Amino acid sequence: MNPTSSSQHVTVLLDEAIAALAVRADGRYIDGTFGRGGHSRLLLDRLGPDGCLLGFDKDPQAILAGHTLAAEDGRFVVVQRSFAELAEEVAQRGWNGRVDGILLDLGVSSPQLDEAERGFSFTHDGPLDMRMDPSRGISAAQWVAQAPEEEIARVFKDYGEERFARRMARAVVARRAERPFERTLDLAKVLTEANPAWEKGKNPATRAFQGLRIFINNELGDLEAGLEAALEALAVGGRLVVISFHSLEDRLVKQFMRRQVKGEADALPRDLPVRVKPFDPRLKLIGKPQYASPAEVSANPRSRSAVMRVAEKLR
């Protein structure tokens, strides 16, 4: 869900994702990450008058864009919820086991990154917030103000894959004793100064900011819940299409799909003398992982890390 600026939305793997859904004209579909509606609009173009599309998003600005689209097209409805709550929403609508395709386009969108007031950017100054839904949970500033040093280091390391996590956490705790962090560039400066080995072409605060954003928004927990819910919501023959933008997301998606492809018996201990459950897969993989083309990466550099995986429900 990566447009190139707050004023122009360029959806990553747009045609590829909609093709992977194998859209039926009268089908029932879910866009779990509406964003600014790039995938949803093309999907609606593929649907007939009896088809329908349900969109999810946590971001209030995305929901405003979704309401505009819903007013234009009666086949579309949008709800301000995380796709982690997909099971509840689907049950309320009587859609469980009846959805023909679900798309999850993960990560943070460019309006969120590029608009300084959202608090995601380490290059543009804004309030240190980072919440995709500012009405829920605590802000990054609130969390950084009270979290123990060990916990800050864990977040930077586990979610940001930052090898200097301990050094950075120590610097954060030392500085907050003088005054609290309230602005993004203030935190970015402390993190940058604590990073002894800058990577060429990468801001020294990148990984720590990523880790903090993922933690504040519970992105990996939401993904795990959303994948399980998507599997139950899909009809037999329905497609699950997931676009990831960093290795932690993609690893979760890959492992989930592989478990479901191998079947429940694969979860049993390997040293059992008898397999008491039959091999019974719930998904089959459709094709190989897809990546943005060189032309797309050239036009939209943020697409370079995108990985799309597709599976179809068997039972």
Side-chain angles (χ1 to χ4, degrees):
M1 51 196 301
N2 282 273
T4 56
S5 74
S6 59
S7 60
Q8 182 183 14
H9 183 89
V10 180
T11 305
V12 172
L13 292 167
L14 174 59
D15 293 323
E16 294 88 343
I18 301 306
L21 284 170
V23 178
R24 292 174 38 208
D26 62 347
R28 183 181 284 112
Y29 294 89
I30 292 175
D31 183 348
T33 45
F34 176 77
R36 294 301 182 271
H39 286 118
S40 284
R41 289 179 185 277
L42 185 56
L43 201 159
L44 286 166
D45 286 345
R46 301 287 192 272
L47 288 177
D50 295 326
C52 53
L53 173 62
L54 171 64
F56 286 73
D57 210 293
K58 295 190 286 188
D59 190 310
Q61 294 182 18
I63 293 300
L64 288 176
H67 287 158
T68 299
L69 178 57
E72 298 169 356
D73 194 323
R75 299 169 301 168
F76 176 69
V77 176
V78 68
V79 294
Q80 187 173 1
R81 305 184 78 165
S82 166
F83 59 73
E85 301 172 88
L86 189 148
E88 182 180 343
E89 187 71 32
V90 165
Q92 290 172 354
R93 295 173 182 274
W95 283 20
N96 211 41
R98 302 172 60 199
V99 178
D100 296 295
I102 298 175
L103 171 65
L104 302 178
D105 179 12
L106 305 175
V108 63
S109 69
S110 285
Q112 291 167 333
L113 287 172
D114 295 339
E115 295 173 12
E117 64 270 19
R118 298 304 304 276
F120 290 97
S121 177
F122 44 77
T123 58
H124 303 290
D125 193 37
L128 185 60
D129 194 305
M130 291 195 184
R131 289 173 293 176
M132 292 181 183
D133 179 355
S135 70
R136 295 189 184 186
I138 65 171
S139 70
Q142 291 171 314
W143 185 78
V144 166
Q146 50 82 31
E149 181 179 321
E150 286 292 323
E151 179 69 359
I152 296 173
R154 184 188 70 80
V155 166
F156 289 168
K157 182 178 185 294
D158 291 353
Y159 299 133
E161 300 179 298
E162 173 55 66
R163 61 185 175 131
F164 300 110
R166 289 186 177 278
R167 183 191 295 250
M168 288 181 167
R170 195 178 310 122
V172 166
V173 170
R175 215 313 298 277
R176 80 181 183 192
E178 302 171 9
R179 66 182 188 279
F181 289 97
E182 297 179 349
R183 310 290 294 181
T184 55
L185 289 191
D186 186 19
L187 178 61
K189 180 176 183 292
V190 170
L191 294 172
T192 295
E193 291 174 350
N195 189 330
W198 295 12
E199 299 175 54
K200 186 177 181 180
K202 185 184 288 287
N203 187 294
T206 299
R207 295 183 186 277
F209 259 66
Q210 172 187 289
L212 186 53
R213 186 205 83 219
I214 289 172
F215 173 77
I216 289 295
N217 292 287
N218 191 34
E219 292 177 37
L220 299 185
D222 278 8
L223 178 55
E224 290 179 329
L227 290 170
E228 294 287 350
L231 180 60
E232 299 306 320
L234 283 171
V236 172
R239 295 281 182 91
L240 174 61
V241 178
V242 187
I243 303 172
S244 306
F245 286 88
H246 61 72
S247 60
L248 296 176
E249 292 173 340
D250 185 52
R251 191 177 306 136
L252 276 178
V253 175
K254 179 170 63 176
Q255 290 173 350
F256 172 81
M257 288 185 173
R258 284 182 175 175
R259 284 197 306 272
Q260 302 303 330
V261 166
K262 290 178 179 179
E264 293 179 356
D266 187 68
L268 296 173
R270 293 183 178 276
D271 58 356
L272 276 183
V274 177
R275 292 275 178 160
V276 295
K277 288 186 178 181
F279 177 74
D280 198 9
R282 299 196 69 190
L283 290 177
K284 70 174 180 179
L285 299 180
I286 303 296
K288 296 181 179 180
Q290 292 189 51
Y291 305 88
S293 68
E296 181 171 5
V297 173
S298 178
N300 180 15
R302 287 177 179 163
S303 69
R304 66 184 177 273
S305 58
V307 183
M308 184 175 78
R309 297 181 186 273
V310 185
E312 183 175 301
K313 185 171 177 178
L314 296 176
R315 64 172 181 87

